[in-house]
Amino acid sequence: EGAELATGGTRRGIVVSTLAEARFFAAGGFDDILYAFPVPRWRLAECSELAQRLQEFQVLLDSPQGLELLLQNPLPGGKRWLVWLKLDCGNGRAGIRPTDPEALALARTIAQGSPQLVTLVGVYAHCGNTYGCRDIPAIQAIARDTTAAVLEFVTA
């Protein structure tokens, strides 16, 4: 009910951190879900099933190996993998640093490679490094730094 309220009743545009959550929301009629963790090989079959079932099931990529995994496992029926490039702006959990020269190369490879199989939707950053903050100014500083890093990357 909370997710339906949060989406204004559209049941679209939600982000989940586990595939169990994705399956739960899909069963509840949500049809536009982002799995906010780079697709691990051992979860590819589950991601593929959701991508085939939903109008838009989106995943994160943060490496050339992740891209190759999706390219080697195309979705059937004219569907394509919808991906966000996961940037690590200081959290250290997942993603590629936006200042890493490989990050821009990976974004270009995804965007220009095989869009009929894998389509770049955008870039994604999670400010999980705010969890240890003790006050609002510290959280705001991380938010500013993350925003600046993402905007600089997108501009490049």
Side-chain angles (χ1 to χ4, degrees), residues 116-130:
Q116 73 282 9
L117 299 176
V118 178
T119 299
L120 181 63
V121 176
V123 297
Y124 184 92
H126 173 67
C127 296
N129 47 334
T130 61

Side-chain angles (χ1 to χ4, degrees), residues 2-119:
E4 188 167 351
L5 288 170
T7 62
T10 66
R11 295 182 180 208
R12 299 189 57 74
I14 63 169
V15 179
V16 298
S17 59
T18 69
L19 290 174
E21 291 171 316
R23 287 190 301 273
F24 173 83
F25 284 112
F30 286 78
D31 205 25
D32 177 3
I33 300 171
L34 168 60
Y35 174 41
F37 192 78
V39 178
R41 182 174 295 282
W42 61 90
R43 296 284 192 200
L44 184 64
E46 293 171 87
C47 290
S48 178
E49 186 273 325
L50 285 162
Q52 292 172 61
R53 185 170 135 204
L54 301 177
Q55 184 175 351
E56 292 189 22
F57 181 72
Q58 303 163 56
V59 297
L60 298 184
L61 279 182
D62 66 354
S63 70
Q65 295 80 12
L67 174 59
E68 194 57 36
L69 176 68
L70 297 183
L71 289 171
Q72 290 176 0
N73 293 277
L75 295 171
K79 295 231 33 177
R80 58 203 160 116
W81 289 104
L82 303 173
V83 302
W84 294 76
L85 180 61
K86 171 67 170 92
L87 299 177
D88 175 4
C89 296
N91 189 25
R93 178 176 167 218
I96 188 167
R97 298 288 298 178
T99 54
D100 183 333
E102 294 298 314
L104 205 48
L106 180 57
R108 285 190 178 114
T109 300
I110 298 167
Q112 298 168 357
S114 299
Q116 73 282 9
L117 299 176
V118 178
T119 299

